[in-house]
C-alpha cells in the first residue's frame, strides 16, 4: 500500500489568515509594523524563531518560548472558525477509497492537532495523526521518519504533501517524493526554489499522484 504523508497547516487547514491575524496582534502589542498576507508568505519559515525575527520581534529581549506560548494561545482560539481548503475533504475521501494509506504530520502540538482534525470531521481518513510534544514547532521530520520505519514503509512508497520549503526538506530527508501546494504559508515563487512539483491547489493532488506513484 502506497502512503501519503500530509502536512496539516496551510496544506489541508486553511489557516493562513489566522496566522497573519494572530501575528499582527503580537506585533501591535509591541508597537511594530503589521504584516500583509503577501509579506507573511514571503517571510514565514522554519525554524519559527527565524520567522519571528523577520516579522520584527526582538528575541534577544524576549524569551522565545514565552513568545511562542503567547502566539499559540491566540492561534488556538482564532483557528476554531477556520475550515479545510475547498475540496480538501473530498480529496482525502477519494484517496482513502482508492487505497492510499494517509498519515498526518505537523509541527503543531499533538493534543491541539488531534482536536483540530477531529472537529473538522476528517480524522477517519488518517491511519496516524502525528504532532509534537510541545508548542515550539519542531520535529516534523523525526515524527514522519519514525512512523515510516515503525510501519516498515520504504521511502519510495511514500509521498510527502505540504506547502512550505520545510516540507520539501523533510521529504528530502526521508527520501520521499514531494508535492507542494502553492496556496498555503509560502508563496509560489519561494516554493519554486525547491525544484519540487508545485500544484496550485489541493484539488490537483489526485491527478498529480496519478502521474507518478501508484497504489500498490
Amino acid at each position: 500500500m502506497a502512503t501519503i504523508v500530509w502536512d496539516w497547516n496551510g496544506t489541508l487547514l486553511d489557516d493562513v489568515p489566522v496566522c497573519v491575524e494572530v501575528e499582527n496582534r503580537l506585533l501591535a502589542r509591541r508597537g511594530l509594523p503589521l504584516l500583509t498576507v503577501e509579506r507573511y508568505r514571503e517571510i514565514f519559515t522554519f525554524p519559527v524563531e527565524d520567522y519571528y525575527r523577520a516579522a520584527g520581534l526582538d528575541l534577544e529581549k524576549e524569551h522565545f518560548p514565552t513568545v511562542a506560548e503567547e502566539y499559540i494561545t491566540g492561534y488556538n482560539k482564532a483557528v476554531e472558525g477556520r475550515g479545510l481548503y475547498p475540496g480538501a475533504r473530498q480529496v482525502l475521501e477519494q484517496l482513502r477509497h482508492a487505497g492510499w494509506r494517509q498519515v498526518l504530520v505537523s509541527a503543531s502540538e499533538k493534543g491541539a492537532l488531534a482536536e483540530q482534525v477531529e472537529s473538522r470531521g476528517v480524522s477517519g481518513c488518517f491511519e496516524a495523526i502525528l504532532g509534537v510534544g510541545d508548542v515550539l514547532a519542531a520535529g516534523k521530520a523525526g515524527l514522519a521518519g519514525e512512523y515510516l520505519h515503525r510501519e516498515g514503509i520504504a521511502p519510495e512508497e511514500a509521498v510527502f504533501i505540504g506547502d512550505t520549503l520545510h516540507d520539501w526538506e523533510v521529504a528530502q530527508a526521508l527520501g520521499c517524493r514531494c508535492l507542494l501546494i502553492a496556496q498555503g504559508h509560502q508563496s509560489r515563487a519561494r516554493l519554486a526554489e525547491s525544484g519540487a512539483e508545485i500544484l496550485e491547489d489541493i484539488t490537483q493532488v489526485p491527478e498529480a499522484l496519478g502521474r507518478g506513484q501508484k497504489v500498490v
Side-chain angles (χ1 to χ4, degrees):
M1 177 188 295
T3 301
I4 299 170
V5 181
W6 287 97
D7 171 62
W8 176 241
N9 303 89
T11 300
L12 293 167
L13 181 65
D14 181 8
D15 68 343
V16 172
V18 167
C19 293
V20 176
E21 173 190 338
V22 174
E23 186 67 24
N24 278 338
R25 289 178 190 165
L26 267 68
L27 295 173
R29 292 185 192 115
R30 293 158 174 83
L32 297 169
L34 305 186
L35 300 177
T36 63
V37 171
E38 292 74 20
R39 174 62 177 162
Y40 169 82
R41 295 178 85 226
E42 289 301 325
I43 67 172
F44 180 77
T45 191
F46 286 91
V48 291
E49 294 101 312
D50 293 344
Y51 156 59
Y52 283 173
R53 290 188 180 96
L57 295 169
D58 187 346
L59 298 185
E60 299 301 319
K61 294 182 178 179
E62 296 194 75
H63 193 40
F64 168 62
T66 302
V67 178
E69 184 66 38
E70 180 183 351
Y71 176 88
I72 204 65
T73 298
Y75 174 87
N76 285 340
K77 292 178 181 178
V79 79
E80 292 178 3
R82 300 297 300 185
L84 305 181
Y85 282 104
R89 185 189 309 274
Q90 292 84 350
V91 167
L92 290 172
E93 291 287 355
Q94 177 183 346
L95 295 173
R96 181 171 69 88
H97 289 301
W100 288 87
R101 180 204 312 254
Q102 298 184 96
V103 178
L104 188 66
V105 64
S106 175
S108 298
E109 190 276 326
K110 57 188 176 183
L113 175 63
E115 183 177 335
Q116 289 174 19
V117 177
E118 176 67 28
S119 67
R120 286 155 184 83
V122 292
S123 57
C125 294
F126 303 107
E127 296 206 4
I129 297 174
L130 310 172
V132 299
D134 56 40
V135 300
L136 300 186
K140 201 186 309 189
L143 289 169
E146 289 172 7
Y147 176 84
L148 295 179
H149 178 73
R150 183 170 65 249
E151 297 297 319
I153 301 170
E156 60 269 21
E157 295 175 349
V159 180
F160 198 103
I161 303 178
D163 70 304
T164 67
L165 291 173
H166 179 61
D167 292 322
W168 173 75
E169 292 168 353
V170 170
Q172 291 290 103
L174 297 173
C176 298
R177 179 188 175 195
C178 182
L179 299 175
L180 296 177
I181 304 176
Q183 62 181 160
H185 290 271
Q186 291 183 334
S187 67
R188 195 183 203 287
R190 291 184 67 195
L191 298 182
E193 298 171 15
S194 69
E197 183 174 359
I198 301 174
L199 310 180
E200 297 306 316
D201 62 66
I202 197 168
T203 63
Q204 297 177 342
V205 166
E207 180 183 356
L209 291 172
R211 291 195 293 269
Q213 186 171 344
K214 305 290 185 179
V215 178
V216 294

